[in-house]
Amino acid sequence: MNICILTPRFPFPQYGGDALRINEIARHLKQQGHKLILVSLSDEKVTPVEQAHELYDRVYFINRNRIRSLFMGAMHFITGRPIQCGYYYSSAYKEHLQKVIEKEKPDLYISHLLRMVPYLSELHLEEKSIIEMTDALSKTYILSSKAEGVGLLKYVYILEQRLIAKYEKFVTTHFPKVVLVSQADIDYLKNNIKGDTSSLTLHSNGVGYIEDISTSYDVDKICFLGNMRSMQNQ
């Protein structure tokens, strides 16, 4: 099967949890014998295509214009759509994706996060698509808006939460499979979405392990690895 994976950020170098998750999904699909086609936006000055080719059979990318991203984010907000979907919307990417579809003829599409869903909707590919939502962002934004020290971001979270909640309902009821990492997030969406939620599917994160564990360690210390600019990690 030819599987086309759409990502809002180029998943290499692999320095974030979002890249790690989608790449692990890709590795699993690769082990099943599928051909993987990556179509990504990129913010990298030098996009590491060769590194991506170690995992993906075909690699395509479009550099994101940040000024246009801000404009599109504002336009989406004005028209009642999630700001982040606008921030990652690119007409150049859409045109490139159409060319990739004509050339590669994918059997299945995977959108990494909600940000890439508009491309699939506009090209009427819902029935052939899986949405790797990861988190229920509307829930995350409710928690974020109540956190201390967020300042003016509080109001951004409140506004975006309402738009995201509406969009999560659309995605859940219009796509055949929507994947989340936590059962708590699935339960939250089921309780807040009026309509068919049978698309919601759980695929939790795993963790690598080492065979030889030191017998000498401090039981009162925990090491956390994560980007502390992320509200979830904070």
Side-chain angles (χ1 to χ4, degrees), residues 97-163:
L97 175 60
Q98 288 176 302
K99 292 178 181 178
V100 172
I101 292 172
E102 292 174 5
K103 179 180 178 181
E104 303 289 352
K105 297 178 173 53
D107 303 296
L108 179 69
Y109 299 85
I110 297 177
S111 167
H112 185 215
L113 308 178
L114 290 177
R115 301 164 182 173
M116 308 308 284
V117 171
Y119 299 106
L120 299 175
S121 295
E122 290 183 11
L123 296 175
H124 308 292
L125 295 169
E126 289 91 345
E127 293 303 316
K128 299 174 68 175
S129 299
I130 294 173
I131 310 305
E132 213 298 300
M133 189 186 292
T134 303
D135 302 312
L137 282 180
S138 58
K139 175 185 174 184
T140 300
Y141 287 156
I142 289 174
L143 298 174
S144 298
S145 66
K146 297 177 181 178
E148 294 182 3
V150 295
L152 292 176
L153 278 176
K154 171 182 179 179
Y155 300 101
V156 176
Y157 288 132
I158 292 173
L159 293 172
E160 181 74 341
Q161 189 275 335
R162 295 170 182 171
L163 300 176

Side-chain angles (χ1 to χ4, degrees), residues 26 32 35 39 45 47-49 52 88 90 96 107 152 162 164-166 183 188 191 201-202:
Q32 303 301 310
K35 175 183 173 183
V39 187
K45 291 183 178 179
T47 303
V49 175
Y88 288 96
S90 163
H96 198 61
D107 303 296
L152 292 176
R162 295 170 182 171
I164 284 290
K166 180 181 177 182
Q183 184 61 48
Y188 167 83
N191 289 332
T201 307
L202 175 67

Side-chain angles (χ1 to χ4, degrees), residues 66-84:
R66 297 196 179 192
I67 295 176
R68 181 161 180 79
S69 290
L70 291 171
F71 173 76
M72 291 302 296
M75 290 302 296
H76 271 59
F77 172 70
I78 292 172
T79 55
R81 293 173 290 174
I83 298 170
Q84 62 181 270

